Every structure is written in C-alpha cells, then in structure tokens.
Amino acid sequence: MLIRNSILDEVRYQVKSYLARHPKALDCTCSQCQNDVIALAASKLPARYCTSSQGRILIGVELQAKQLQLDILQAILLAIKTVNHSPRHDPNRAVE
C-alpha cells in the first residue's frame, strides 16, 4: 500500500459533499478553485498518514470524531472564504 494522507482524502470528500449541498458557497467551481479549497483546508489540519489497510481503518475511526469533523468543516469554510476573496484562476479561462 502506498503512503496516504487520510486527512487529505477526507477533506477532498467533505469539500465535494459540502459544495453539492451548498452550490453557491464557492463563487467559481472550476477545478483550480476547488483544488485550492482542498489544499488550503488540508494545510490547516494535522496530517494523518497510513501505510497499511489496518492503519487506514484506525484513522478512519479517528476521523469520525465530532471535534475532528468540526475542525475539518471550519478549515473548509475558511478556505472557501479565502478562495472566494482571492481566486488564482485566469479570469479569461474557459469555464470547465
């Protein structure tokens, strides 16, 4: 098994879920803006690396903790606010 950062996987999943429920939260939904939200949010959280399926299961249980879920949501909301304020994509880009 490869080395995986389970927080990054969880943030990616939570961002997709949040944007599906709140489609107007992110002013631009291009892949650059979505990836910026994921990267910003994940960088605000402690990494949780695993190298085995057993480690992934243990981290998966840890990721279900209410406080960690709230921390992830808070990081996502802050990242969305940051990206909305200062998007990095080319304003003349073709919409994806």
Side-chain angles (χ1 to χ4, degrees):
M1 179 178 217
L2 297 173
I3 297 172
R4 296 185 63 113
N5 180 353
S6 295
I7 284 289
L8 180 59
D9 294 340
E10 182 68 14
V11 167
R12 186 177 289 119
Y13 172 79
Q14 293 291 341
V15 166
K16 300 289 183 194
S17 296
Y18 184 83
L19 293 177
R21 290 188 318 271
H22 303 92
K24 296 190 186 285
L26 189 58
D27 293 342
C28 174
T29 57
C30 74
S31 60
Q32 176 72 49
C33 289
Q34 288 186 33
N35 287 335
D36 285 347
V37 168
I38 292 166
L40 281 169
S43 70
K44 299 295 183 192
L45 298 163
R48 302 283 200 296
Y49 294 105
C50 63
T51 59
S52 68
S53 56
Q54 182 182 7
R56 191 166 184 202
I57 291 169
L58 291 172
I59 291 173
V61 171
E62 181 182 336
L63 288 173
Q64 300 308 309
K66 293 289 184 198
Q67 185 59 55
L68 186 53
Q69 287 294 311
L70 290 172
D71 292 345
I72 292 170
L73 179 59
Q74 183 179 17
I76 290 169
L77 294 175
L78 180 61
I80 288 172
K81 182 178 176 182
T82 301
V83 171
N84 280 341
H85 185 262
S86 300
R88 293 184 327 123
H89 61 251
D90 176 11
N92 299 319
R93 79 208 180 288
V95 176
E96 298 176 30

